[in-house]
Amino acid sequence: MSGGDAKKLVRSPSGLRMVPEHRAARSPFGLDEPPWVPDKECPRCMQCDTKFDFITRKHHCRRCGKCFCDKCCSKKVPLPRMCFVDPVRQCAECALVSQKETEFYDKQLKVLMNGATFFVTLGTSDKSELMVCRLSNNQRYLVLDGDSHYEIEIIQISTVQILTEGFTPGGGNTRAIGMILQYKVPGSEEVTQMKFTAGEDFSCNKKLSASWLAAMHKVSK
């Protein structure tokens, strides 16, 4: 593991977390732990309004920080966006969001980090270059490798437009065939555009390219 990607184990009131040693190396998809609603400000469950006493204990949701009874905050769900090592207690609403995000982390991010091959056109150029596109291991950069090399910081991307074909008036299936990406170069307000096109001559990679584009679309959301 390179020094820039080094991680450390820390203990917080919410549980054990494996976080980057340097804040600048954090994933752009990460979330900070929320402040907990103070116990003295929460005499009742913030979901069902049950009064807390010696029998009905209060619990804090690790995602929103609000205070709930055990019934309303009983689920323990993985929370990768906060780097928790183990599943943590969350309210029903937050647990649902976290479950959807876990699928995103387990599937879409892995697809993006594995990469896919595209013809890439920079700006208004009429020439394209065959490049392998992938998300960096720390999830902070989109890396493009061919005869040229580009590293685009994810937080600098302003627009992601997925190009499709196969739409029918009846709402038939569409297939992702490319993407237009707009981003700012650090230190400049200028917006740069790149167009990604799945090569028709690489039929064995079409499915992989379409999966990569679909994952990129979800990242942009």
Side-chain angles (χ1 to χ4, degrees), residues 14-161:
S14 300
L16 287 173
R17 301 170 65 221
M18 183 65 76
V19 301
E21 284 192 351
H22 304 287
R23 189 172 179 84
R26 289 183 55 187
S27 165
F29 307 113
L31 289 176
D32 288 325
E33 285 189 80
W36 283 11
V37 173
D39 286 351
K40 62 182 180 180
E41 296 179 10
C42 189
R44 295 177 177 274
C45 174
M46 299 180 76
Q47 177 64 41
C48 69
D49 204 39
T50 296
K51 185 177 181 179
F52 295 123
D53 53 30
F54 288 110
I55 298 176
T56 305
R57 307 292 299 275
K58 60 185 64 175
H59 301 278
H60 285 86
C61 172
R62 271 51 174 174
R63 186 181 180 103
C64 68
K66 294 179 181 179
C67 200
F68 303 92
C69 67
D70 182 69
K71 182 179 178 180
C72 294
C73 195
S74 61
K75 294 180 179 294
K76 289 193 174 182
V77 180
L79 187 45
R81 290 188 70 185
M82 289 186 192
C83 303
F84 283 110
V85 174
D86 300 309
V88 290
R89 187 185 291 270
Q90 297 176 58
C91 66
E93 184 177 348
C94 287
L96 183 61
V97 175
S98 294
Q99 286 169 342
K100 291 180 179 179
E101 288 179 350
T102 297
E103 181 181 354
F104 168 75
Y105 266 74
D106 288 345
K107 295 181 180 179
Q108 277 75 31
L109 281 187
K110 288 181 180 179
V111 169
L112 290 174
M113 286 190 282
N114 286 335
T117 303
F118 298 92
F119 284 107
V120 179
T121 306
L122 181 63
T124 58
S125 173
D126 57 357
K127 295 182 179 180
S128 60
E129 181 179 340
L130 188 64
M131 308 188 81
V132 174
C133 308
R134 63 178 180 84
L135 187 67
S136 63
N137 290 336
N138 61 14
Q139 304 165 3
R140 295 185 64 235
Y141 295 92
L142 187 61
V143 181
L144 290 75
D145 277 311
D147 290 336
S148 305
H149 177 82
Y150 298 96
E151 292 187 7
I152 303 171
E153 196 169 5
I154 294 296
I155 61 173
Q156 297 295 337
I157 296 175
S158 56
T159 304
V160 176
Q161 178 186 353

Side-chain angles (χ1 to χ4, degrees), residues 184-202:
K184 287 184 178 180
V185 177
S188 170
E189 291 300 313
E190 181 181 350
V191 175
T192 301
Q193 178 171 296
M194 278 187 174
K195 182 178 180 180
F196 298 67
T197 307
E200 292 299 323
D201 294 336
F202 296 88

